[in-house]
Amino acid sequence: MSAKIKLKEVYEVQNQYKAFYTGGTVQWSPNGQELLCQNSGAINLISVSDESSEPVIFGANPSTSSAGDDNDGIAEDSVYTFALANSGEHVVSAHRSGLLRMWDVASRKVVKMWRGLHQGPTTRLAFSAGDQLVASGGTDTTVRIWDPMQQVCVGTLRGCVGVVSLLVFHPDEERKVILAAGDDVKIYAWNYETRELVKTFAGHFSKVTAVSFSNDRKFLVSAGRDKILVLWDYETQQSVKTIPVYESLESVIVLPDGIRVNGQKLKKGKIYAACAGEEGLIKVWEMTETAIVFKQSNSLVTKSAEEGGLAITEMLLNRQTSQLAVVSADHNIIIHDLETFDCFKQLSGFSDEILDLILFGKKDRFLGMATNSNDFKVYDTTTMNCQLVKGHTDIVLSLSANDKFMLSSSKDNSIRLWQYNGTKFEINCVAIGLKHTNAVGSVSLSKISGMFCASVSQDRCLKVWKIPKEFNQTSDEKELTRLNCTLTELAHEKDINCVSISPNDRLLATGSQDKTAKLWDVSNLSLVGVFRGHKRGIWAVRFSPIDQILLTNAADCSIKLWSLTDMTCLKSLEGHESSVLRVEFLSNGMQLISAGADGLLKLWSIKSSECIQTLDKHESRIWALCVTEDETIFYSGGSDSQLIKWKDVTDEKRDREMTERKDMLLQEQELNNLVNDKKLLKALRLSLNLNRPLMTLKIINAVIKAQEQGLPETVQKLSNDHKETLLKHAIEWNTNSRNCRPAQLVLNILLQEILAGAFQVSELNKHLTAALPYTERHFARMTEYAKDLKFIEYTLQCMQPHAARATNKS
């Protein structure tokens, strides 16, 4: 059976999912198909319909125009903020250098660039309603109006207090008005043509965070950190209504007339304002009657843990698609359909540190990911559509799954059992376990029966839980079914890092910071054996899928394989230079894939104890690994927030090598035929293509011997790469005195090509340095040889008279 197993030799990156939003500005294209997000000093353009597509990066380095922007360019001139034109055709970005750049979205190229003139960073940008003007606000309290086509400042507006944090043009362009707010509690409105302060709205008691005009432009709605919504009469500057909302608000949007919200049609002539902030949910108020008409019940954003904290940082309305997007403080973008308020799409902009990964569902369709968050994420691997799963009240540390359930553990000292529906992409919490007294670091579900699970915690306890056959059908947290802890054991002397259930559900293995791994009987948690040998804490344990073997990996940079029958160490694999954090079996237990704290993945052969391949794509610790059932794909994730999908390309590599070998044999046969047919100059080109120095030498010698004309002309017709290959061959021949004549002939032709500018060679100094000593030696030898010839010739000339006299005497 083992003979039929194909061992893995090569894995390659199939997809690399990086962060595309790390905080800052988010803009939505008018057609609703793309989002522009600020990401570590650059701007990422993300497709809403196809999240699996690679983000397009631009906005950092003016010399580059697409995803080819290098990180050096981003670091040199990072983006502080940006704004998208109302037409969606242009983006204006403000940079650390003080420059403002206008980009064409379609081509990703800079079309205009000018100096921002602010005394400090630019904090806000905005386009006018017709996209003819751009406004910039900075930390220097000023607002500047720009004509981007002429790249000139047409006005500087003063009067704001502190950093400009809000900048909005009046929707009616004929009014020529712009509104701004700073660190004080007022909203200022200027006529940007006359540069006069025309209106001041004073009524808030704390910082103003957002404003939105009513559909008839007669009223203005503002929101602030003072937990109130204010409806203003724009002409009189008077507060018409003040609504206490009892939460700090970050965003407010007046909804268009005639649309439906959660099935309810909004009445014309009324002012409906959607607001969001600290509580993490959207509320819709009818401003004139101070009545709340909708309160979101299916929010996926967690409420801020502290008063005045952030939960939702921004809301975006797309009128064309009738969708509302919220941006959460933990960098998730959630798009809702306004009519039903169902979640249309979830985008995870930044995963922070990836702590665990699992695959579950039919054909491993779903990928569960635990990050530095109270919520864990589940991805549909076919589309990479993301779903946030809420329930835990602290960071989720570990995940496990079988064909029925998912299990999660958290720093909130609890474990939760989840039931998933593969067809509807739904995940619901059905039970909770609450017996641990400290953070639960690892969990494992039984594979065969699926009727029990195990957990380990920093309280040093190992617990076995029974999974009930029926659950309370409720969404109320207090009425959730409680998991029954059937067995508890104080298992180790220090924190327990990992637990694993054997494939036959009869044994448990645990690994701890006390440098030991232990084997337990599932039925009564009696100790079966102790594995000692690691010099540091053990990070993970795994049972072999077919053999009586346990695998452990530890912070001592080693991987050990143990016999389950006599508890002896069978093998110790060493190759990582830092802690080995995770290992998984491959190829029916004949191979391993390991992940280290140095960001390296290694593929091992257990039989030979050799590392077959080292994969280097991560930038930091790799905490998580999961392998598909057919082992053609595996995923890795770590503290660099990257999720990488790796594909087994062993068969493709073998096929490619076979094809290349076949082509090479055909070309070599053709080369031999050309040489035999005395078609030397054609053979030269093919020999260079095959990179055959010896064959090329034979051809050059044959050309010299046959005194065939046309070698310089043939060399001139070669491509630059072929000429460089010929130069390398000639330098190699030049090291042997027997081959100096063809070498010097070729070098002479190539140097003339270089002098004529027809041949550009990389590292010319290096090649000349290599050729010069041998050339000087050949020259010295030929000089001595010429001297000897001249001496012999002189001797013969001197002997000729004597030879003639001797002939005459005879």
Side-chain angles (χ1 to χ4, degrees):
M1 179 179 175
S2 60
K4 296 180 181 179
I5 298 170
K6 291 183 178 180
L7 298 181
K8 281 53 174 184
E9 294 179 7
V10 182
Y11 278 97
E12 290 181 356
V13 174
Q14 187 176 19
N15 287 104
Q16 201 166 353
Y17 304 100
K18 297 182 179 181
F20 62 81
Y21 172 59
T22 55
T25 309
V26 178
Q27 299 273 275
W28 203 351
S29 64
N31 60 10
Q33 299 303 308
E34 295 164 333
L35 285 165
L36 283 88
C37 310
Q38 205 167 329
N39 177 31
S40 301
I43 305 168
N44 278 18
L45 187 144
I46 302 298
S47 170
V48 173
S49 57
D50 185 13
E51 191 183 348
S52 62
S53 63
E54 286 293 315
V56 176
I57 306 172
F58 67 104
N61 189 353
S63 63
T64 54
S65 59
S66 66
D69 290 342
D70 54 19
N71 291 327
D72 293 337
I74 292 172
E76 286 172 9
D77 202 10
S78 56
V79 175
Y80 281 151
T81 187
F82 70 93
L84 177 67
N86 297 297
S87 65
E89 294 177 0
H90 294 99
V91 169
V92 166
S93 56
H95 296 258
R96 185 170 62 180
S97 63
L99 294 175
L100 297 177
R101 296 188 178 116
M102 177 177 280
W103 303 77
D104 180 75
V105 174
S107 65
R108 328 289 187 226
K109 292 183 178 179
V110 176
V111 292
K112 299 291 180 182
M113 180 168 61
W114 66 94
R115 180 68 61 180
L117 301 180
H118 285 283
Q119 299 299 313
T122 302
T123 55
R124 281 289 181 270
L125 292 167
F127 276 91
S128 63
D131 296 337
Q132 301 299 314
L133 299 174
V134 172
S136 64
T139 56
D140 58 357
T141 75
T142 65
V143 175
R144 294 181 183 273
I145 309 297
W146 304 90
D147 182 338
M149 294 299 109
Q150 301 298 322
Q151 304 164 54
V152 295
C153 178
V154 297
T156 300
L157 312 175
R158 307 181 190 278
C160 219
V161 177
V163 177
V164 177
S165 58
L166 179 67
L167 203 57
V168 177
F169 276 94
H170 194 288
D172 187 354
E173 202 164 14
E174 293 180 358
R175 286 180 176 264
K176 304 187 184 306
V177 169
I178 187 168
L179 283 73
D183 291 337
D184 61 350
V185 297
K186 296 179 181 179
I187 305 167
Y188 301 94
W190 291 270
N191 182 305
Y192 53 75
E193 272 201 345
T194 63
R195 306 177 195 176
E196 293 180 2
L197 182 65
V198 293
K199 296 182 186 297
T200 303
F201 301 88
H204 282 277
F205 304 100
S206 187
K207 185 177 179 179
V208 180
T209 54
V211 297
S212 182
F213 280 91
S214 64
N215 297 309
D216 59 7
R217 319 292 192 241
K218 294 179 179 179
F219 295 93
L220 183 71
V221 178
S222 63
R225 301 267 174 86
D226 52 4
K227 304 183 180 182
I228 60 172
L229 277 175
V230 180
L231 178 66
W232 306 88
D233 185 308
Y234 180 75
E235 296 302 332
T236 64
Q237 308 169 51
Q238 297 298 312
S239 169
V240 179
K241 293 285 183 181
T242 300
I243 303 174
V245 294
Y246 307 107
E247 64 168 323
S248 295
L249 296 178
E250 293 296 321
S251 185
V252 65
I253 296 174
V254 174
L255 300 177
D257 288 334
I259 67 166
R260 290 180 175 271
V261 175
N262 199 32
Q264 179 182 351
K265 188 173 183 179
L266 302 184
K267 299 176 182 178
K268 290 186 178 181
K270 301 285 187 178
I271 301 173
Y272 295 93
C275 62
E278 180 185 346
E279 290 189 9
L281 49 88
I282 300 170
K283 299 174 185 176
V284 179
W285 292 83
E286 202 293 296
M287 297 300 297
T288 56
E289 297 177 2
T290 65
I292 186 167
V293 296
F294 171 73
K295 183 177 180 180
Q296 188 180 6
S297 59
N298 60 343
S299 176
L300 295 169
V301 182
T302 304
K303 182 180 179 180
S304 174
E306 53 189 36
E307 187 176 354
L310 296 176
I312 292 176
T313 58
E314 194 170 354
M315 278 194 308
L316 303 166
L317 174 67
N318 192 284
R319 296 171 183 267
Q320 188 170 325
T321 60
S322 292
Q323 292 174 333
L324 190 68
V326 294
V327 182
S328 68
D330 53 359
H331 314 303
N332 297 313
I333 302 171
I334 302 162
I335 301 173
H336 294 276
D337 184 87
L338 268 176
E339 185 168 347
T340 62
F341 238 87
D342 291 335
C343 178
F344 169 75
K345 190 84 171 181
Q346 299 178 46
L347 302 171
S348 178
F350 178 59
S351 294
D352 203 355
E353 197 164 358
I354 300 174
L355 304 178
D356 202 4
L357 293 169
I358 56 163
L359 286 161
F360 62 97
K362 192 175 181 181
K363 296 182 179 180
D364 294 322
R365 179 178 175 181
F366 301 109
L367 176 70
M369 180 195 294
T371 64
N372 268 353
S373 172
N374 302 355
D375 314 325
F376 64 88
K377 302 177 177 73
V378 176
Y379 290 89
D380 184 336
T381 57
T382 58
T383 62
M384 289 311 289
N385 187 21
C386 175
Q387 180 173 331
L388 296 174
V389 183
K390 297 169 61 67
H392 285 287
T393 57
D394 208 335
I395 292 173
V396 177
L397 297 174
S398 177
L399 299 171
S400 182
N402 57 23
D403 57 358
K404 296 179 181 177
F405 302 105
M406 274 187 67
L407 188 67
S408 62
S409 68
S410 168
K411 280 188 175 181
D412 61 10
N413 306 350
S414 73
I415 65 172
R416 285 178 178 263
L417 189 70
W418 309 82
Q419 208 164 33
Y420 60 86
N421 185 328
T423 56
K424 295 182 180 180
F425 199 21
E426 290 181 355
I427 300 170
N428 298 306
C429 184
V430 292
I432 185 171
L434 298 168
K435 295 293 184 180
H436 281 290
T437 59
N438 211 324
V440 185
S442 181
V443 288
S444 184
L445 265 170
S446 60
K447 300 293 189 236
I448 298 176
S449 66
M451 298 314 295
F452 73 93
C453 60
S455 62
V456 292
S457 168
Q458 288 182 4
D459 60 14
R460 297 177 292 162
C461 285
L462 165 65
K463 293 183 183 291
V464 175
W465 310 76
K466 182 180 179 182
I467 296 175
K469 294 181 179 179
E470 295 182 356
F471 304 95
N472 298 335
Q473 301 297 321
T474 178
S475 58
D476 189 349
E477 186 75 17
K478 296 180 180 179
E479 296 181 9
L480 276 177
T481 302
R482 294 294 188 266
L483 292 176
N484 181 24
C485 179
T486 56
L487 297 167
T488 300
E489 184 68 33
L490 189 62
H492 288 268
E493 297 175 2
K494 291 184 179 180
D495 294 355
I496 308 174
N497 291 329
C498 52
V499 62
S500 182
I501 298 174
S502 65
N504 61 6
D505 286 354
R506 293 181 180 177
L507 297 171
L508 276 171
T510 56
S512 168
Q513 286 296 110
D514 63 10
K515 308 174 189 176
T516 65
K518 294 184 179 181
L519 194 65
W520 309 85
D521 190 317
V522 168
S523 60
N524 55 12
L525 280 192
S526 59
L527 184 63
V528 178
V530 181
F531 305 95
R532 293 186 174 90
H534 283 291
K535 297 177 182 178
R536 291 192 178 181
I538 295 173
W539 283 112
V541 291
R542 285 290 181 271
F543 286 94
S544 171
I546 56 171
D547 296 320
Q548 296 292 309
I549 290 175
L550 181 74
L551 178 149
T552 59
N553 55 273
D556 60 4
C557 312
S558 69
I559 303 165
K560 292 183 184 292
L561 297 169
W562 307 83
S563 169
L564 294 181
T565 54
D566 56 9
M567 313 302 163
T568 57
C569 181
L570 302 175
K571 276 185 184 290
S572 183
L573 306 178
E574 296 182 356
H576 283 280
E577 296 182 356
S578 57
S579 299
V580 186
L581 303 176
R582 193 71 173 265
V583 184
E584 296 289 347
F585 279 100
L586 295 172
S587 309
N588 272 11
M590 297 173 66
Q591 289 183 290
L592 303 173
I593 187 78
S594 63
D598 52 4
L600 297 179
L601 291 158
K602 290 182 180 288
L603 179 65
W604 302 84
S605 168
I606 293 178
K607 185 177 181 180
S608 64
S609 302
E610 292 180 352
C611 175
I612 301 170
Q613 186 187 15
T614 299
L615 306 169
D616 184 11
K617 282 294 180 182
H618 283 280
E619 298 168 4
S620 189
R621 293 181 180 88
I622 305 172
W623 289 111
L625 281 179
C626 62
V627 184
T628 58
E629 193 173 348
D630 61 8
E631 297 181 352
T632 57
I633 299 289
F634 78 86
Y635 294 86
S636 61
S639 56
D640 58 358
S641 78
Q642 285 190 82
L643 173 68
I644 300 181
K645 182 180 181 181
W646 304 85
K647 184 181 180 182
D648 175 23
V649 292
T650 304
D651 291 338
E652 289 89 332
K653 180 196 173 190
R654 289 172 182 164
D655 293 342
R656 187 166 60 247
E657 288 176 349
M658 187 71 71
T659 304
E660 289 174 357
R661 173 78 175 158
K662 191 183 297 183
D663 293 341
M664 189 169 291
L665 289 172
L666 290 172
Q667 288 182 329
E668 286 181 350
Q669 184 61 51
E670 184 183 353
L671 177 60
N672 291 328
N673 293 339
L674 289 171
V675 173
N676 292 333
D677 294 342
K678 305 299 182 182
K679 297 178 180 178
L680 300 177
L681 299 181
K682 286 185 179 180
L684 175 62
R685 194 187 302 270
L686 186 55
S687 179
L688 291 172
N689 199 40
L690 291 172
N691 195 18
R692 294 285 188 268
L694 185 59
M695 182 59 76
T696 308
L697 176 61
K698 288 179 180 178
I699 294 169
I700 296 295
N701 280 327
V703 170
I704 295 171
K705 187 176 181 181
Q707 295 184 351
E708 185 174 341
Q709 300 299 316
L711 181 60
E713 291 77 7
T714 301
V715 171
Q716 288 172 9
K717 293 177 182 177
L718 294 175
S719 68
N720 204 78
D721 290 340
H722 281 163
K723 288 179 183 177
E724 191 159 350
T725 304
L726 184 58
L727 177 62
K728 291 176 182 176
H729 289 181
I731 291 170
E732 188 177 337
W733 307 334
N734 199 44
T735 59
N736 192 324
S737 60
R738 289 181 299 178
N739 303 325
C740 66
R741 186 183 178 191
Q744 290 299 318
L745 176 64
V746 169
L747 285 173
N748 180 47
I749 295 171
L750 290 175
L751 287 173
Q752 288 179 9
E753 287 285 291
I754 292 172
L755 291 173
F759 175 31
Q760 288 80 35
V761 58
S762 59
E763 299 179 332
L764 178 60
N765 289 338
K766 179 181 176 183
H767 293 311
L768 292 177
T769 304
L772 198 58
Y774 291 100
T775 302
E776 289 175 347
R777 190 180 303 173
H778 299 326
F779 180 73
R781 189 179 66 254
M782 294 304 293
T783 302
E784 291 298 322
Y785 181 63
K787 285 180 182 179
D788 291 342
L789 285 176
K790 289 292 183 182
F791 179 74
I792 292 170
E793 184 181 345
Y794 171 73
T795 304
L796 288 173
Q797 287 177 355
C798 290
M799 291 172 65
Q800 278 178 359
H802 300 287
R805 194 177 304 122
T807 304
N808 292 332
K809 285 181 179 180
S810 61

